[in-house]
Amino acid sequence: MKIYLAILVLATLFSCTKNNETYSDYPTPQFYLNQDQTHNLWSNSIEPIISVPSGSVIEVATEEASDQQLSTNSDVNDLNNLSFDPIHPLTGPVYVQNAQPGDVLKVTLHKIEMGDWGWTAIVPGFGFLADEFTDPYLKTFDFSKDKSAAKFSDNISIPLKPFPGVMGVAPATSDSLSTIPPRANGGNMDDPNIVEGTVVYFPVFVEGALFSIGDTHAAQGLGEVCGTAIEAPMKIVYEVEVIKNGRSIEEPQYETDEYYAVTGFGETIDEAAKKATRYMIDYLVDEHGLSREDAYALCSLAGDLKIAEVVDVPHMLVTMHMPKNIFMGN
């Protein structure tokens, strides 16, 4: 408690600027975590870095997915020595006070700030077409002068749309689980729609939720078919809020001003798509008062199924988006 109060006092003494950046367009962070305060497994036995009250705003630095095994000076030969052991350094966990199993943790992504570089790779044995692409491949990107686009080649420029590839709460197990596949706790969802301004909802499985975030991507297409996005270090400002006595959810869901979205993971696209459809039906029944038949029909008429990722074996992730503007008064 004394440590927590000291952190809170220090946070209130901060001005509204840090590292020459202003916080005029989003809430001022009260807590700060650096890129060395990380873990890369899911387990409820991992000790939290900090304890914060519901409603706290936190700034975290994240490392790129290789955890500094690669750099702007790396070449394809460095992939031969790439170890998967440190992959996905996740900043956290953060213990959110008063969060209990059965609650929902609301995470608002207020600000996502790009780092100065990134990389993408084809790692032999990994990727949707791993049997066809067996040679290593690496491309690095310099964002020090332009954080709006990645120059893929002389005539190809990719707009940057940064987002966290991995974010989630601790599962209800003390076993050490890989961060590679998405699960009910969130994890490696790799959904490029979860960008700055998105509100994400996670089912809480353990006391304090134990939220972590990382694997930040500068750009990625839906599917992430070669196995990597533009992996890049970033800084994220997010807010955590515990929702009690609300609608229960089985897997993460999220929303923007334009749509509400559900996620479903499975070992096949069919399984994941069916789960996402059922979750959207549940949402429409609970939040908009539709019958299950009307909700099912509306999913067919206005819902958009999207494949978020297909490479994080053994699970794939499918989402469904429902536009908000179809509801009168919204």
Side-chain angles (χ1 to χ4, degrees):
M1 180 60 71
K2 290 182 179 179
I3 294 175
Y4 162 69
L5 290 175
I7 293 173
L8 187 58
V9 169
L10 287 173
T12 58
L13 292 176
F14 267 87
S15 68
C16 289
T17 63
K18 183 172 180 282
N19 297 332
N20 297 320
E21 298 158 17
T22 63
Y23 294 113
S24 59
D25 56 344
Y26 55 93
T28 302
Q30 301 155 301
F31 303 92
Y32 300 89
L33 298 181
N34 64 51
Q35 67 271 23
D36 297 321
Q37 294 173 298
T38 62
H39 64 95
N40 72 333
L41 294 168
W42 291 118
S43 173
N44 63 13
S45 66
I46 299 174
E47 290 294 321
I49 302 298
I50 55 171
S51 174
V52 306
S54 177
S56 293
V57 180
I58 305 159
E59 178 184 286
V60 299
T62 67
E63 194 51 81
E64 43 75 39
S66 81
D67 199 11
Q68 303 183 60
Q69 293 184 81
L70 299 175
S71 71
T72 52
N73 298 319
S74 294
D75 60 32
V76 71
N77 295 315
D78 292 312
L79 291 180
N80 295 324
N81 299 316
L82 185 69
S83 170
F84 268 64
D85 291 340
I87 290 292
H88 287 167
L90 306 180
T91 306
V94 171
Y95 183 102
V96 185
Q97 296 161 22
N98 206 31
Q100 297 292 336
D103 294 340
V104 170
L105 185 69
K106 175 183 177 182
V107 178
T108 303
L109 300 176
H110 285 299
K111 183 68 176 178
I112 302 178
E113 179 189 331
M114 288 283 305
D116 286 338
W117 75 287
W119 60 270
T120 193
I122 299 172
V123 179
F126 188 64
F128 200 42
L129 302 179
D131 293 341
E132 298 179 34
F133 291 85
T134 57
D135 295 327
Y137 164 100
L138 179 69
K139 185 182 289 287
T140 60
F141 303 87
D142 182 0
F143 303 135
S144 59
K145 296 180 181 179
D146 183 4
K147 289 182 168 60
S148 64
K151 188 175 181 180
F152 187 82
S153 67
D154 289 342
N155 59 353
I156 299 175
S157 181
I158 303 171
L160 299 185
K161 190 179 177 184
F163 72 98
V166 178
M167 56 192 307
V169 295
T173 179
S174 59
D175 293 344
S176 295
L177 305 179
S178 168
T179 61
I180 296 297
R183 295 185 172 88
N185 69 310
N188 197 19
M189 297 184 287
D190 284 332
D191 186 342
N193 291 297
I194 303 180
V195 295
E196 184 177 293
T198 306
V199 177
V200 192
Y201 302 95
F202 297 90
V204 175
F205 298 103
V206 302
E207 180 181 325
L210 299 179
F211 177 78
S212 302
I213 191 168
D215 184 36
T216 38
H217 296 169
Q220 181 207 298
L222 286 163
E224 198 188 24
V225 292
C226 87
T228 61
I230 297 182
E231 313 289 337
M234 294 185 196
K235 190 180 295 180
I236 300 175
V237 176
Y238 66 84
E239 182 175 350
V240 289
E241 179 182 347
V242 178
I243 300 176
K244 292 184 172 292
N245 304 315
R247 185 174 61 90
S248 63
I249 59 175
E250 296 184 44
E251 297 180 36
Q253 302 184 3
Y254 62 92
E255 67 177 319
T256 68
D257 291 340
E258 289 75 37
Y259 59 81
Y260 192 89
V262 298
T263 71
F265 76 89
E267 293 188 4
T268 67
I269 292 295
D270 283 354
E271 179 187 356
K274 286 180 179 179
K275 288 173 72 176
T277 302
R278 293 189 189 103
Y279 293 153
M280 183 57 78
I281 290 172
D282 292 340
Y283 164 76
L284 293 170
V285 170
D286 294 341
E287 294 296 312
H288 293 280
L290 274 65
S291 69
R292 291 194 68 80
E293 292 77 12
D294 277 346
Y296 184 30
L298 188 60
C299 286
S300 188
L301 301 180
D304 288 326
L305 281 173
K306 300 175 184 288
I307 300 173
E309 63 83 14
V310 293
V311 294
D312 298 322
V313 293
H315 298 150
M316 302 177 178
L317 193 79
V318 171
T319 69
M320 179 178 279
H321 291 196
M322 184 64 65
K324 292 182 175 180
N325 62 8
I326 66 173
F327 300 101
M328 299 299 292
N330 283 7

